[in-house]
Amino acid sequence: MRKFLAALVACAAAALAAGPPALAAAPLTMLGADVSSVQRALDLGARYYDAAGNQRDPLDILKGVGVNYVRLRIWNNPASGYNNKAKVLQYARTVKARGLKLLIDFHYSDTWADPGKQYKPAAWSGHGIGQLQSDVYNYTYDVCSSLKAQGTTPDSVQIGNEINVGMLWNDGKVVNNDFTNLSLLLKAGYNATKACNGGTQVIIHTADADSDANARWFYDGIRAKGVAWDITGLSYYCMWHGTLSNLSYVISDMRSRYGKPVVIAETAYPFTADNADSTGNSVTSGCSGYGLTWQGQGAEFTAVQNTARDAGAIGVFYWEPTWYAVPGNGWDPANINGSGDGWDNMAVFNWTGHINPNVRWTP
């Protein structure tokens, strides 16, 4: 008996030393793809092929490799006409008809909004912060309500795109750590979304996956001003945002500090350094351990998903997997016919429209 008790004590001590058993990571529920350029590609006659070489609708191909959520950007009045309200309403019907969920990404601009530029739409160019609050509320409510009226209520929306230091500059820019104006705009977008549909989840999205300090500065700043949101969104591109271990740390800290789910709202990786058209590639190099090949692209995307899942995130969105080089589907909305595609080496479809068989979205 004494030997038995000694063994029991030894086992208990070993268990305590080892710490609590690791909990299984919860599955990713938002397995997303931003396909905002695909309408234009299809209108121009682009074809998409699955891993078996069968020509199919790109959404059907993506759904077959695990996608359950589609992200669509919306620009107020882009020169090209693509990604405007009418086009988003049109493609939202296609998305929902396939049983996919829908995320609407409000840029609040006529063109690209990201950490380096947040241009007001031309129609709002002379508006101060008071009028901009009404602009954001009315526009957000109108788009959401129009989607709802046609039976394609958004499951989630982003109030701004990669708004590291604010949106609708300069009125909504954070200057001298003053989040007042930005908070007013974010509250307007949140309130409009909930007035349209209480169940639509509001994401506030930055590209701060590289820096926990920067992420804390931003989300602490808006929280201190009483801004509400449902999901914290981060962009992660390894060539710009650092290691997977750092990504894991930032996700874990965001999740615990704010008590909200976290999603990687954008990620991507090149399958080649080569360029398919007249516009240079936005990304020309990869990251350690992952080659610029189909195999490397697939492995890096799997690693991002695994890291996000293990750190407690609920979703990962691949940015523009369908945007292979199609003449006329250019980068510049003011010159969509004449500009090229800076993302042709980052899509998961190659330059003939065939999907990378190594890429999968996994819960």
Side-chain angles (χ1 to χ4, degrees), residues 117-140:
K117 54 186 180 294
Q118 298 279 336
Y119 305 124
K120 291 180 188 176
W124 304 355
S125 62
H127 296 179
I129 190 62
Q131 182 61 48
L132 287 171
Q133 290 177 71
S134 297
D135 292 334
V136 168
Y137 186 98
N138 294 335
Y139 179 72
T140 306

Short mmCIF file of all heavy atoms in Angstrom, two decimals, residues 117-140:
data_model
loop_
_atom_site.label_atom_id
_atom_site.label_comp_id
_atom_site.label_asym_id
_atom_site.label_seq_id
_atom_site.Cartn_x
_atom_site.Cartn_y
_atom_site.Cartn_z
N LYS A 117 -3.47 55.29 -47.17
CA LYS A 117 -4.37 56.24 -47.84
C LYS A 117 -5.82 55.90 -47.47
O LYS A 117 -6.24 54.74 -47.51
CB LYS A 117 -4.19 56.20 -49.35
CG LYS A 117 -4.32 54.81 -49.99
CD LYS A 117 -3.97 54.86 -51.47
CE LYS A 117 -4.10 53.49 -52.13
NZ LYS A 117 -3.10 52.52 -51.61
N GLN A 118 -6.53 56.92 -47.11
CA GLN A 118 -7.95 56.81 -46.77
C GLN A 118 -8.66 58.04 -47.36
O GLN A 118 -9.01 58.97 -46.67
CB GLN A 118 -8.14 56.73 -45.25
CG GLN A 118 -7.50 55.54 -44.56
CD GLN A 118 -8.34 54.29 -44.66
OE1 GLN A 118 -9.57 54.33 -44.84
NE2 GLN A 118 -7.69 53.12 -44.54
N TYR A 119 -8.84 58.00 -48.69
CA TYR A 119 -9.41 59.15 -49.38
C TYR A 119 -10.92 59.20 -49.19
O TYR A 119 -11.61 58.20 -49.38
CB TYR A 119 -9.11 59.08 -50.88
CG TYR A 119 -7.66 58.94 -51.25
CD1 TYR A 119 -7.21 57.88 -52.04
CD2 TYR A 119 -6.72 59.88 -50.81
CE1 TYR A 119 -5.88 57.76 -52.39
CE2 TYR A 119 -5.38 59.76 -51.17
CZ TYR A 119 -4.96 58.70 -51.95
OH TYR A 119 -3.64 58.58 -52.29
N LYS A 120 -11.43 60.38 -48.89
CA LYS A 120 -12.88 60.54 -48.86
C LYS A 120 -13.46 60.31 -50.26
O LYS A 120 -12.82 60.65 -51.25
CB LYS A 120 -13.26 61.96 -48.44
CG LYS A 120 -12.97 62.34 -47.02
CD LYS A 120 -13.40 63.79 -46.81
CE LYS A 120 -12.98 64.33 -45.47
NZ LYS A 120 -13.31 65.77 -45.32
N PRO A 121 -14.66 59.77 -50.34
CA PRO A 121 -15.32 59.76 -51.66
C PRO A 121 -15.56 61.19 -52.12
O PRO A 121 -15.74 62.11 -51.30
CB PRO A 121 -16.63 59.02 -51.40
CG PRO A 121 -16.82 59.01 -49.93
CD PRO A 121 -15.49 59.17 -49.29
N ALA A 122 -15.54 61.39 -53.42
CA ALA A 122 -15.65 62.75 -53.97
C ALA A 122 -16.91 63.46 -53.47
O ALA A 122 -16.88 64.67 -53.19
CB ALA A 122 -15.64 62.69 -55.49
N ALA A 123 -18.00 62.71 -53.33
CA ALA A 123 -19.26 63.32 -52.91
C ALA A 123 -19.21 63.86 -51.49
O ALA A 123 -20.04 64.69 -51.11
CB ALA A 123 -20.40 62.31 -53.04
N TRP A 124 -18.25 63.38 -50.70
CA TRP A 124 -18.13 63.82 -49.31
C TRP A 124 -16.91 64.71 -49.09
O TRP A 124 -16.55 65.04 -47.96
CB TRP A 124 -18.00 62.62 -48.37
CG TRP A 124 -19.09 61.61 -48.45
CD1 TRP A 124 -20.24 61.66 -49.18
CD2 TRP A 124 -19.13 60.35 -47.75
NE1 TRP A 124 -20.99 60.51 -49.00
CE2 TRP A 124 -20.34 59.69 -48.14
CE3 TRP A 124 -18.27 59.70 -46.87
CZ2 TRP A 124 -20.69 58.43 -47.65
CZ3 TRP A 124 -18.62 58.45 -46.37
CH2 TRP A 124 -19.83 57.82 -46.76
N SER A 125 -16.24 65.11 -50.15
CA SER A 125 -14.92 65.74 -50.02
C SER A 125 -14.93 67.02 -49.19
O SER A 125 -13.96 67.30 -48.48
CB SER A 125 -14.34 66.02 -51.41
OG SER A 125 -15.16 66.93 -52.12
N GLY A 126 -16.00 67.78 -49.25
CA GLY A 126 -16.05 69.03 -48.51
C GLY A 126 -16.71 68.93 -47.16
O GLY A 126 -16.94 69.94 -46.49
N HIS A 127 -17.04 67.72 -46.74
CA HIS A 127 -17.79 67.54 -45.50
C HIS A 127 -16.87 67.48 -44.28
O HIS A 127 -15.82 66.83 -44.30
CB HIS A 127 -18.62 66.26 -45.56
CG HIS A 127 -19.68 66.28 -46.62
ND1 HIS A 127 -20.53 65.22 -46.87
CD2 HIS A 127 -20.06 67.25 -47.50
CE1 HIS A 127 -21.36 65.53 -47.84
NE2 HIS A 127 -21.09 66.75 -48.25
N GLY A 128 -17.29 68.14 -43.20
CA GLY A 128 -16.60 68.06 -41.93
C GLY A 128 -17.09 66.89 -41.11
O GLY A 128 -17.96 66.12 -41.55
N ILE A 129 -16.58 66.74 -39.91
CA ILE A 129 -16.85 65.55 -39.12
C ILE A 129 -18.34 65.38 -38.79
O ILE A 129 -18.85 64.27 -38.76
CB ILE A 129 -16.00 65.54 -37.82
CG1 ILE A 129 -16.10 64.17 -37.11
CG2 ILE A 129 -16.39 66.68 -36.89
CD1 ILE A 129 -15.57 63.01 -37.93
N GLY A 130 -19.05 66.47 -38.58
CA GLY A 130 -20.48 66.36 -38.29
C GLY A 130 -21.25 65.75 -39.45
O GLY A 130 -22.03 64.80 -39.27
N GLN A 131 -21.01 66.26 -40.65
CA GLN A 131 -21.69 65.73 -41.82
C GLN A 131 -21.21 64.32 -42.15
O GLN A 131 -21.99 63.46 -42.58
CB GLN A 131 -21.47 66.64 -43.03
CG GLN A 131 -22.19 66.19 -44.29
CD GLN A 131 -23.70 66.14 -44.14
OE1 GLN A 131 -24.30 67.08 -43.64
NE2 GLN A 131 -24.31 65.02 -44.54
N LEU A 132 -19.93 64.07 -41.94
CA LEU A 132 -19.39 62.73 -42.23
C LEU A 132 -20.04 61.66 -41.36
O LEU A 132 -20.21 60.52 -41.81
CB LEU A 132 -17.87 62.72 -42.03
CG LEU A 132 -17.05 63.44 -43.11
CD1 LEU A 132 -15.59 63.55 -42.68
CD2 LEU A 132 -17.17 62.75 -44.46
N GLN A 133 -20.40 61.99 -40.14
CA GLN A 133 -21.10 61.00 -39.31
C GLN A 133 -22.42 60.61 -39.97
O GLN A 133 -22.76 59.42 -40.03
CB GLN A 133 -21.39 61.59 -37.92
CG GLN A 133 -20.18 61.78 -37.05
CD GLN A 133 -20.57 62.43 -35.74
OE1 GLN A 133 -21.20 61.82 -34.89
NE2 GLN A 133 -20.19 63.71 -35.60
N SER A 134 -23.14 61.59 -40.47
CA SER A 134 -24.40 61.30 -41.17
C SER A 134 -24.15 60.55 -42.46
O SER A 134 -24.90 59.62 -42.81
CB SER A 134 -25.15 62.61 -41.47
OG SER A 134 -25.51 63.26 -40.28
N ASP A 135 -23.08 60.93 -43.17
CA ASP A 135 -22.74 60.24 -44.41
C ASP A 135 -22.49 58.76 -44.16
O ASP A 135 -23.02 57.89 -44.88
CB ASP A 135 -21.46 60.84 -45.02
CG ASP A 135 -21.65 62.26 -45.52
OD1 ASP A 135 -22.78 62.64 -45.87
OD2 ASP A 135 -20.63 62.99 -45.56
N VAL A 136 -21.67 58.46 -43.16
CA VAL A 136 -21.35 57.06 -42.86
C VAL A 136 -22.59 56.31 -42.43
O VAL A 136 -22.84 55.18 -42.89
CB VAL A 136 -20.25 56.99 -41.77
CG1 VAL A 136 -20.11 55.56 -41.25
CG2 VAL A 136 -18.92 57.48 -42.31
N TYR A 137 -23.40 56.92 -41.56
CA TYR A 137 -24.62 56.24 -41.11
C TYR A 137 -25.55 55.97 -42.29
O TYR A 137 -25.99 54.83 -42.49
CB TYR A 137 -25.34 57.08 -40.06
CG TYR A 137 -26.53 56.35 -39.46
CD1 TYR A 137 -26.42 55.69 -38.24
CD2 TYR A 137 -27.76 56.29 -40.13
CE1 TYR A 137 -27.50 55.00 -37.70
CE2 TYR A 137 -28.84 55.60 -39.61
CZ TYR A 137 -28.71 54.96 -38.39
OH TYR A 137 -29.78 54.25 -37.87
N ASN A 138 -25.84 57.00 -43.06
CA ASN A 138 -26.83 56.86 -44.13
C ASN A 138 -26.37 55.89 -45.22
O ASN A 138 -27.15 55.07 -45.72
CB ASN A 138 -27.15 58.22 -44.74
CG ASN A 138 -27.85 59.14 -43.77
OD1 ASN A 138 -28.51 58.68 -42.84
ND2 ASN A 138 -27.72 60.44 -43.97
N TYR A 139 -25.10 55.99 -45.57
CA TYR A 139 -24.57 55.11 -46.62
C TYR A 139 -24.54 53.66 -46.16
O TYR A 139 -24.96 52.75 -46.89
CB TYR A 139 -23.17 55.58 -47.02
CG TYR A 139 -22.52 54.73 -48.09
CD1 TYR A 139 -22.97 54.77 -49.41
CD2 TYR A 139 -21.46 53.89 -47.78
CE1 TYR A 139 -22.36 54.00 -50.39
CE2 TYR A 139 -20.85 53.12 -48.75
CZ TYR A 139 -21.31 53.18 -50.05
OH TYR A 139 -20.71 52.40 -51.02
N THR A 140 -24.07 53.43 -44.96
CA THR A 140 -24.01 52.07 -44.41
C THR A 140 -25.41 51.48 -44.30
O THR A 140 -25.65 50.33 -44.69
CB THR A 140 -23.33 52.08 -43.03
OG1 THR A 140 -22.06 52.72 -43.13
CG2 THR A 140 -23.15 50.68 -42.49
#
